[in-house]
Each structure stands twice: as structure tokens, then as C-alpha cells.
Amino acid sequence: MIRRSHGRLDGHVVVVTGAARGVGALLARKLAARGANLALVGLEPDELKEVSESLAVDSDWWHADVTDHVAMAQVAAEVKERFGKVDVTVANAGVAAGGPFTDSDPVAWRRVVEVNLVGSAVTGRAFLPLLTESRGYLLQIASLAAITPAPMMTAYCASKSGAEAYAHALRAEVAHLGVRVGVGYLSWTDTDMVRGADQDEVMRELRQRLPWPSNRTYPPGPAVDRLVAGIERRSHHVYAQGWLRGMQGIRGYLPGVIGTVGGREMRRFAPRLAAGGGHRGLVGAGGEADEAARSAR
């Protein structure tokens, strides 16, 4: 358990989606350590309950699919009834799929966009009325994938770019209501999702050949500390790894660079991909949980 300290979030109610594992679970623990009360949302009831019960604050959890408008509206109503308010909402839920686009599983590809982009919008739609009441803060979790394209990650890049653009547009719409909107950017972070992607040899080797520091896997602790600090400041941009800030200044050049360098790398990997290399479905334990939940329905 993370030791509790006093901070700007004392008594605040924070909603975190995708809170069963990875960045979401650690974020919940670190927010609780800063005095926040937590409402956790996700698809894994046992894991959500475990995270909730580990927090030394008032917390509760809801089993819901962030792409379901009806379910998320019900969650928002129940969170309001349970806690009386919502001060911060973190749209963190996400899944990923890898592999060449032409060979990708169309269901998995669509699901990445549905969870990462549509699910973020559904989350915002559900909780913005409560954030308006509290003049609160919405943090949309994006990615390095929103800043730069990457081969073998078409769905993830498209979804995170879309989520970033949605949040920037929303910021202007709700500013006069006292609601602030931020975007959080993470590079490769040591989570189930990244470890799942690395199980595929082609994906792992392709990532290792990226230029430093984008080829590193970063520990989640410092990354989540930066997210917590951004939430406390209600920042417009939160960079989980400091070097990501510098990427913003050169992002206009990145598609051309990636098109050239990435094209060369894909040509090198083409024989292995033709032989069946490259993961096609959702990756990691979170992806497995999403697929299991959809199968159960």
C-alpha cells in the first residue's frame, strides 16, 4: 500500500477508467496517497475490487464497458449518489493491437478505436455534467502514438490521435464552464499491454530499432507521478516522460521520417511477416479481459 500524504487532492473525488491494472491501478493508488477518494471503472471485477480495497481512502468500483453509453451514464449517476460529486475524471481505459494493417483482425482493429476513442468520448459525455457542477478537470490519456505514427500500430495510432484531438477540441467548448481538459502523453511504459506486445518478435524488434529514447520501456512509477502532478495542477498537457514535451516541436516532420525509415524496416521484416509473424489481435491481459467480456455478452 502506498503511504498517504496530504495534498491538493484531499477530499476530491476522482474517477479512473481502466483502473483494474497497469497505469490505471497505480494511478488510483497514488491519487489515494494524495488524499483523493476514488471511483474505479473497468471490465475486471475481481481486480477492481482488489485495487479498491487496497486504498486507504473512501473508494468504490464499477464494472462497465466504457463504450456503452447507457452503462456509463448509469455509472455516473451511481458515482454521484455514492460520493455526492466528481472533481476529476481520468479517461484511461485503453487496448492495443499490432500487426500489418492488411492482415489485421478487423474486429480487433475496430475495437481499439472503439475503446480508446469512442470510449473516451462516452466517458466524457457521462461525467462532464458532474465536472461542470464542480468546475472540475478531465484528463484524457493519450500516447506517444498520438504524436508520431508507427508501422504495425495503425489502430492504436489512429485511436490515440483521435482521442488527443477530441480532448483539445473539447477544452475550448467547456472552458467557459470552468472545466479544464488535459491530455496525458506516455511513451512505452512497463505494463501488461506493452509486455503483451513484446511477446511478438517482430513487434519487439521493430520497437528496439526505434531511435533512443523512444526505444526504451519506462517504469510506471515515475510516469504516474507525473500524471498525478498534472492532475493536481489541472494541466493542459502532462508528459509522463519529460522528453515527450520536446517531440511536440518536431511532430510535423515525423510522418515523413517514419514513412522513410519505417518503410525500410518493414521491407526488412516482410519475409517474416509473410510467414505469419506479427500479432493480429488485442494484446496483453487487458486485451484478453476485453475479449472475454465481449464474448460473455
Side-chain angles (χ1 to χ4, degrees):
M1 182 182 297
I2 298 174
R3 182 177 299 175
R4 179 172 175 176
S5 62
H6 294 290
R8 299 180 191 176
L9 299 176
D10 271 346
H12 282 54
V13 176
V14 183
V15 177
V16 180
T17 67
R21 61 177 65 249
V23 168
L26 184 57
L27 180 60
R29 293 188 172 102
K30 287 181 177 285
L31 289 168
R34 300 296 290 168
N37 300 317
L38 273 299
L40 312 178
V41 183
L43 287 176
E44 299 171 88
D46 293 341
E47 288 78 2
L48 287 168
K49 181 180 179 182
E50 181 179 350
V51 174
S52 179
E53 291 179 347
S54 74
L55 306 179
V57 294
D58 191 10
S59 66
D60 212 335
W61 59 274
W62 280 262
H63 177 220
D65 184 335
V66 294
T67 68
D68 186 330
H69 288 277
V70 174
M72 290 300 288
Q74 182 64 32
V75 169
E78 292 179 9
V79 170
K80 172 66 181 296
E81 182 177 0
R82 170 70 169 76
F83 292 98
K85 63 174 182 173
V86 170
D87 298 291
V88 178
T89 297
V90 183
N92 168 73
V95 294
F101 173 71
T102 53
D103 295 332
S104 62
D105 176 357
V107 174
W109 201 100
R110 183 186 184 100
R111 183 62 180 171
V112 172
V113 176
E114 288 175 345
V115 174
N116 299 357
L117 174 54
V118 178
S120 294
V122 171
T123 298
R125 190 181 301 277
F127 285 99
L128 273 170
L130 300 180
L131 294 176
T132 301
E133 290 177 7
S134 66
R135 299 177 71 85
Y137 177 65
L138 171 67
L139 178 63
Q140 173 62 55
I141 300 298
S143 168
L144 171 63
I147 299 174
T148 181
M152 304 272 284
M153 294 178 57
T154 53
Y156 195 73
C157 289
S159 67
K160 288 299 186 178
S161 296
E164 178 196 42
Y166 144 76
H168 287 330
L170 182 64
R171 179 184 301 135
E173 292 187 22
V174 299
H176 71 285
L177 301 174
V179 179
R180 291 178 67 91
V181 178
V183 179
Y185 299 89
L186 292 91
S187 184
W188 304 93
T189 305
D190 188 16
T191 62
D192 291 324
M193 180 188 294
V194 172
R195 289 191 293 271
D198 276 351
Q199 289 177 4
D200 181 272
E201 291 185 3
V202 173
M203 291 286 292
R204 183 175 65 250
E205 290 183 33
L206 189 61
R207 184 163 73 87
Q208 290 171 345
R209 293 177 66 84
L210 293 172
W212 185 90
S214 61
N215 60 352
R216 286 188 55 196
T217 298
Y218 293 85
V224 174
D225 285 339
R226 285 176 174 264
L227 295 180
V228 172
I231 291 169
E232 289 183 318
R233 294 192 299 264
R234 294 160 55 97
S235 300
H236 283 171
H237 300 88
V238 186
Y239 299 97
Q241 290 82 26
W243 59 269
L244 287 170
R245 184 187 301 273
M247 297 291 287
Q248 295 284 25
I250 62 171
R251 64 186 297 172
Y253 300 98
L254 294 175
V257 173
I258 296 299
T260 300
V261 178
R264 184 170 60 242
E265 292 298 314
M266 291 301 295
R267 190 179 305 112
R268 192 171 69 85
F269 284 115
R272 291 166 63 182
L273 292 170
H279 191 86
R280 268 62 172 178
L282 299 182
V283 300
E288 292 176 3
D290 185 271
E291 290 176 340
R294 284 183 288 125
S295 296
R297 290 198 296 271

